[in-house]
Amino acid sequence: MFEIKNLTKRYGTRKVLDNVSLSFKTGTITSLVGANGAGKSTLLSCMARLLKQDEGDVFFEGKNIKEFKNAEIAKRVASLRQNNTFSIRLTVRELVAFGRFPHSKGRLTKKDDEIIDRALDYMSMSHMKDKYIDQLSGGERQRVFIAMIVAQDTDHILLDEPLNNLDMKQSSSMMKILRNIVDETKKTIIIVIHDINCASCYSDEIVALKNGKLMIQATPEEFMKEEVIKEIFEVDCKIADVAGNKICVYHNCENCADDEGKVLHSHGCADCADKPL
């Protein structure tokens, strides 16, 4: 389990994280949400030891994460940055194989090969395994990077905006895959995500930051309320019940949803057309 205590990070004189304390439950998906600059990616980077905090501590399984050796933590925590690039030309399978490095140190065993193939199958990328990364679309590359993380086979996974470059169908598929990973293997996944409706539909908990401060840590049911969304994102919205999920309708006018959150029409309606969003 990750536990954050009084975490503060500054860029110059600006506090990007301001005395943040929280803990994450094991075997769950937790979504980190908030406006741009809220501190989401910085928090995740501190947890992954990609950034050094100015004050406070990050604990993993009761031990200060600073005390872990790199090889030890790499077998237990996998992390994916928001922007990932490689300067060398690799095939899909070669990139996914990097996920096994903490375990095999580059000497792949039969077990490693089986795990790599299973990760490719899991992400529906087996048919592309011999293609080069630079031949793929942005969405396909993102799926390959997730496959690499899956191949690392850690109990904890940290993902910074895993829906980058994914269209609607791919985003839904990705979130279903992450949900299945948690449900089937009891792994812990912590993700930075901008789509609060995806967070609502697939997360166990949602953590919201604003101006570097922790605003709320709650279940989707508790989080998806008009007053909460307005305080965090400073936008008017309606919350609708759709197929058992709470959905935020924020491209709306006052007539787009009734008082109970039932969507009356889309945001492209005639009533909305002549009103500023």
Side-chain angles (χ1 to χ4, degrees):
M1 180 183 76
F2 273 101
E3 186 175 5
I4 313 300
K5 289 188 176 181
N6 309 116
L7 206 66
T8 296
K9 175 65 180 176
R10 300 179 182 87
Y11 292 137
T13 59
R14 185 170 73 92
K15 284 186 178 181
V16 183
L17 293 175
D18 190 355
N19 197 35
V20 173
S21 296
L22 72 155
S23 60
F24 297 89
K25 296 178 181 178
T26 57
T28 63
I29 294 180
T30 300
S31 290
L32 303 180
V33 305
N36 290 337
K40 309 180 295 298
S41 295
T42 300
L43 174 60
L44 206 70
S45 293
C46 289
M47 293 170 63
R49 299 203 313 187
L50 299 174
L51 277 179
K52 184 178 179 181
Q53 65 269 23
D54 294 308
E55 299 169 21
D57 295 287
V58 177
F59 293 91
F60 177 66
E61 296 182 350
K63 180 179 175 181
N64 196 308
I65 202 165
K66 295 177 183 177
E67 299 174 12
F68 285 91
K69 294 181 179 179
N70 289 338
E72 183 182 7
I73 199 69
K75 292 180 180 179
R76 303 168 79 175
V77 179
S79 62
L80 186 66
R81 300 185 184 193
Q82 182 176 343
N83 298 308
N84 300 283
T85 57
F86 274 83
S87 57
I88 57 177
R89 201 167 191 232
L90 297 172
T91 66
V92 167
R93 198 180 193 284
E94 287 170 340
L95 178 57
V96 175
F98 271 104
R100 299 305 302 160
F101 189 83
H103 307 275
S104 66
K105 299 296 186 292
R107 297 181 178 90
L108 297 178
T109 65
K110 182 178 179 181
K111 179 182 177 181
D112 291 319
D113 286 330
E114 290 173 352
I115 292 173
I116 292 166
D117 289 336
R118 191 161 61 241
L120 287 165
D121 287 340
Y122 211 85
M123 298 303 299
S124 300
M125 298 296 291
S126 295
H127 64 293
M128 294 185 176
K129 65 180 181 180
D130 296 322
K131 281 193 172 185
Y132 287 97
I133 300 300
D134 59 8
Q135 294 175 318
L136 305 182
S137 68
E140 289 169 340
R141 283 196 296 270
Q142 187 71 352
R143 286 163 58 200
V144 176
F145 281 110
I146 298 296
M148 180 182 68
I149 294 299
V150 171
Q152 194 170 336
D153 196 24
T154 60
D155 288 333
H156 290 72
I157 299 173
L158 312 179
L159 303 175
D160 193 354
E161 298 195 33
L163 305 186
N164 263 3
N165 300 312
L166 302 186
D167 59 28
M168 187 184 301
K169 180 180 179 180
Q170 292 172 334
S171 294
S172 175
S173 176
M174 179 67 73
M175 293 306 298
K176 287 176 182 176
I177 288 171
L178 298 180
R179 183 73 260 173
N180 287 339
I181 289 173
V182 170
D183 293 341
E184 294 172 3
T185 68
K186 307 305 178 185
K187 294 181 186 293
T188 303
I189 296 180
I190 303 169
I191 63 176
V192 171
I193 190 170
H194 278 288
D195 189 333
I196 59 173
N197 289 329
C198 273
S200 173
C201 292
Y202 295 100
S203 305
D204 297 293
E205 282 200 326
I206 298 175
V207 170
L209 299 174
K210 183 177 181 180
N211 297 326
K213 294 181 178 292
L214 175 65
M215 298 295 290
I216 186 173
Q217 180 175 11
T219 65
E221 183 78 18
E222 296 166 334
F223 178 83
M224 296 295 281
K225 296 179 179 178
E226 294 170 18
E227 62 272 18
V228 175
I229 302 298
K230 185 171 184 178
E231 181 180 10
I232 295 168
F233 294 97
E234 300 179 6
V235 62
D236 291 324
C237 68
K238 290 288 186 180
I239 303 299
D241 289 298
V242 180
N245 295 308
K246 297 289 186 181
I247 302 297
C248 179
V249 184
Y250 51 90
H251 291 294
N252 70 310
C253 69
E254 60 186 10
N255 297 318
C256 279
D258 62 21
D259 291 336
E260 296 180 353
K262 181 180 178 182
V263 178
L264 301 179
H265 45 244
S266 72
H267 65 270
C269 66
D271 289 335
C272 290
D274 59 353
K275 295 182 179 181
L277 297 177

